[in-house]
């Protein structure tokens, strides 16, 4: 089942159960998917990798907003953002642990023959493809820097 169909079904069930908070998060996902789908130069179909990166972006936005709200002593608004982030995260595949990512990055470094930090671009390119949708690229970048001795 495609993400769009699943979101539409979940919107219907949230409307029937009158779950307004969940409905708001689901509508945000639907809006982001619709914008991506109708973007100029697209075919109308969204690849799964793009869907996953879009969901990650939405989660990241919500968490950053929550941090800002907490720094301004607005726990009520932060709670809403964190709740929406949790709803959106349910549509993402399970993220890999830091140890699993480190092992994958070690394999990629061995495959690419990287030895210094100058090879980071090559390693990051391969790692981004291999780990797409499973982990945040910021974590991958930190691990690559650590392993290549930056």
């Amino acid at each position: 089942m495609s993400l769009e169909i699943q979101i539409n079904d979940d919107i219907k069930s949230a409307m029937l159960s009158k779950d307004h908070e969940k409905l708001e998060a689901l509508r945000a996902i639907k809006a982001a998917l619709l914008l991506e789908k109708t973007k100029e130069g697209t075919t109308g179909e969204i690849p799964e990798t793009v869907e996953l990166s879009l969901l990650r972006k939405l989660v990241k936005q919500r968490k950053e907003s929550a941090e800002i709200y907490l720094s301004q002593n607005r726990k009520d608004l932060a709670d809403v953002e964190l709740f929406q982030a949790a709803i959106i995260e349910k549509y993402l595949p399970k993220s890999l642990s830091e140890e699993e990512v480190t092992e994958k990055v070690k394999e990629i470094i061995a495959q690419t023959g990287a030895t210094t930090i100058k090879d980071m671009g090559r390693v990051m390119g391969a790692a981004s493809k291999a780990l797409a949708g499973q982990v945040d690229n910021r974590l991958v970048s930190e691990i690559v820097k650590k392993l290549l001795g930056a």
Side-chain angles (χ1 to χ4, degrees):
M1 177 184 304
S2 78
L3 179 64
E4 190 174 9
I5 293 170
Q6 186 178 1
I7 295 296
N8 285 332
D9 291 345
D10 290 348
I11 285 175
K12 289 174 191 171
S13 64
M15 289 172 87
L16 290 172
S17 65
K18 296 183 181 6
D19 188 349
H20 299 289
E21 292 84 12
K22 184 175 182 180
L23 186 60
E24 193 174 332
L26 293 170
R27 283 183 173 158
I29 297 172
K30 184 175 180 175
L33 289 172
L34 188 60
L35 283 172
E36 187 66 34
K37 193 174 181 179
T38 59
K39 193 163 60 173
E40 193 171 321
T42 59
T43 61
E45 284 296 315
I46 305 171
E48 187 177 346
T49 55
V50 175
E51 287 177 345
L52 293 175
S53 67
L54 194 63
L55 291 175
R56 285 202 193 309
K57 180 180 172 185
L58 292 173
V59 169
K60 183 178 177 185
Q61 288 173 343
R62 300 297 184 286
K63 288 183 177 180
E64 288 173 354
S65 295
E67 286 177 25
I68 292 169
Y69 288 139
L70 287 173
S71 72
Q72 296 175 351
N73 295 323
R74 292 298 311 263
K75 186 173 177 348
D76 56 328
L77 296 175
D79 289 343
V80 171
E81 294 293 328
L82 291 173
F83 177 79
Q84 287 187 10
I87 296 294
I88 297 168
E89 282 179 331
K90 290 179 183 176
Y91 296 96
L92 287 169
K94 181 184 171 288
S95 294
L96 296 175
S97 70
E98 190 169 341
E99 294 80 27
E100 292 171 316
V101 175
T102 302
E103 288 304 312
K104 297 250 186 204
V105 169
K106 284 180 182 177
E107 291 172 16
I108 292 169
I109 288 173
Q111 290 170 358
T112 59
T115 55
T116 66
I117 195 66
K118 292 179 182 177
D119 301 319
M120 184 172 173
R122 196 166 12 127
V123 174
M124 282 300 297
S128 293
K129 288 178 185 173
L131 301 171
Q134 297 175 322
V135 69
D136 184 26
N137 277 342
R138 191 174 352 149
L139 175 64
V140 175
S141 174
E142 291 170 9
I143 291 171
V144 170
K145 286 178 186 174
K146 184 172 67 175
L147 292 175
L148 291 178

